[in-house]
Amino acid sequence: MKFLESLEKRFGHLALPNVVLGLVIAQLIVYALMLSGWLSIRELVLDPDLIVKGNQYWRLITFIVCPPYIAQGAFDALFLGLFWYIFWMMSQTLENQWGVFRFNLYLLAGVLFTVLGTFIGYFIAPEQAIYVSPRFLYTSVFLAFAVLNPNIEFHIFFVLPVKVKWLAWIVGIFAVLGIVVQPTMGGKLAAIGPFVNFLLFFRSQLVESVQSGRRRAKHNAKVQAAKEEPFHICTQCGATDRSHPERIFRYKEAEGVPVGICDACRGPE
C-alpha cells in the first residue's frame, strides 16, 4: 500500500469526487437518447476492430457511459433506476472508506484492464467480433463493496434480507459463468479485466482470509480431536470412558503417579 500512498501524494489533487454520480447522469442522458432513437448503443460500445481500422477512438471512453441494459417498459425502467441508485450508493461508501483518489484509481484500473483485455483478445483472434460494455466493471465495484462491508443487508424484492457477503458469492459465481460463456477470446479477457484490479487491491485481504480460514480449520480440528480423546483410561485392560461408558473409573497413586483402573479390573470392593 506504500505504492498507493506515494501515488496519492503525487497525483491526489487530480482525483474527482462523486465521479460515479457523473457517470450515472451520463448514462441516463445516453439512455434517453437511445429511447428517442437519436443514438444507438452500437455507436458507443468498445469495438477494437472499428478502433483499429476505422479510427473510432472515442469508443475507448464512450463504452463507459453505455447503460447496463435498455429497459423497454416502465417496470424495467424502475429496476434500471434502482440499479443506478445502488451503484451510486456503493460507490459513495467506497469513496468514503478509501478516499476519493483510491476509489478513482480503482475505477480507472478496471477500465484500463478491460480495454487491455479487449485488445489482447482482438489481436489473438481478429476475426472474432467483440462488443464490450462496462457491466463487468459494475461487478468489480460490488465485490469491493462486499469485501469492505460484508454484513450490510440488502432486501431482495424489498422483502427478503440477505447479507451482502452472500450476495457477493452469488454474483461472483454468475460473473465467472459469464466469463466462461463469452463466445470470443476478446470478450473473455475483457470480462476478466475488471477483476484483475479487484485482486490487486484486495490481495492482502484475500490472503489473510485464506490464512484465517486455515487457522480456524486447524483449531476446529484440534478441538474435535480433544473431544474425541478419552478422559479416563484403565491402565490394566485399556478400556476408556468412550469404549466402555458404563464402567466407573477410579484412580490410585503408584510411585507418585495417578493410575486409572476401571471397576471391572478393580473387582468388588
Side-chain angles (χ1 to χ4, degrees):
M1 296 304 167
K2 292 183 179 179
F3 177 67
L4 290 178
E5 291 174 0
S6 63
L7 283 179
E8 186 167 5
K9 288 180 181 179
R10 295 185 61 182
F11 305 107
H13 62 284
L14 299 176
L16 299 175
N18 296 317
V19 65
V20 168
L21 179 60
L23 178 62
V24 169
I25 293 174
Q27 289 188 0
L28 183 60
I29 294 172
V30 169
Y31 174 68
L33 293 174
M34 288 180 179
L35 287 183
S36 63
W38 291 356
L39 194 64
S40 169
I41 195 170
R42 291 291 301 272
E43 300 175 54
L44 304 176
V45 293
L46 183 60
D47 186 336
D49 189 60
L50 291 177
I51 294 173
V52 172
K53 296 179 181 179
N55 297 325
Q56 298 183 10
Y57 300 114
W58 66 81
R59 293 178 181 271
L60 294 169
I61 299 175
T62 57
F63 85 98
I64 304 171
V65 298
C66 291
Y69 63 93
I70 306 301
Q72 300 298 329
F75 192 71
D76 290 339
L78 175 64
F79 273 93
L80 181 57
L82 182 62
F83 170 86
W84 276 324
Y85 170 75
I86 294 175
F87 180 48
W88 171 78
M89 180 271 294
M90 292 189 300
S91 301
Q92 284 294 104
T93 303
L94 290 175
E95 190 173 293
N96 292 333
Q97 291 176 314
W98 270 344
V100 176
F101 175 79
R102 187 173 176 181
F103 180 62
N104 278 196
L105 189 62
Y106 183 76
L107 291 176
L108 180 61
V111 172
L112 292 179
F113 282 124
T114 299
V115 173
L116 181 62
T118 301
F119 276 92
I120 291 175
Y122 170 74
F123 288 118
I124 291 175
E127 73 282 356
Q128 297 177 342
I130 307 171
Y131 310 106
V132 179
S133 69
R135 64 188 183 93
F136 285 97
L137 185 62
Y138 305 136
T139 305
S140 70
V141 170
F142 176 77
L143 293 179
F145 176 82
V147 170
L148 295 178
N149 307 275
N151 294 316
I152 288 182
E153 289 186 345
F154 284 168
H155 286 76
I156 306 300
F157 301 114
F158 305 100
V159 177
L160 181 64
V162 180
K163 287 186 177 181
V164 71
K165 60 183 177 182
W166 305 123
L167 289 176
W169 280 104
I170 297 173
V171 169
I173 290 171
F174 275 99
V176 171
L177 292 176
I179 294 171
V180 172
V181 301
Q182 284 288 324
T184 65
M185 179 59 68
K188 292 180 186 296
L189 294 178
I192 291 173
F195 297 103
V196 174
N197 68 316
F198 172 76
L199 294 176
L200 289 176
F201 272 74
F202 289 95
R203 182 182 67 257
S204 59
Q205 288 95 325
L206 294 174
V207 171
E208 174 59 28
S209 177
V210 172
Q211 293 175 344
S212 177
R214 289 177 178 174
R215 289 194 297 267
R216 192 181 305 111
K218 289 182 180 179
H219 174 73
N220 292 338
K222 288 181 180 180
V223 171
Q224 186 63 30
K227 289 180 179 179
E228 293 176 356
E229 290 181 359
F231 188 75
H232 300 291
I233 302 176
C234 179
T235 55
Q236 293 189 15
C237 68
T240 69
D241 56 337
R242 291 194 171 276
S243 62
H244 296 80
E246 75 283 355
R247 295 188 184 183
I248 299 174
F249 294 80
R250 293 187 180 179
Y251 289 81
K252 66 178 182 179
E253 285 202 8
E255 299 180 356
V257 179
V259 176
I261 302 176
C262 68
D263 55 357
C265 296
R266 192 172 60 250
E269 298 182 353

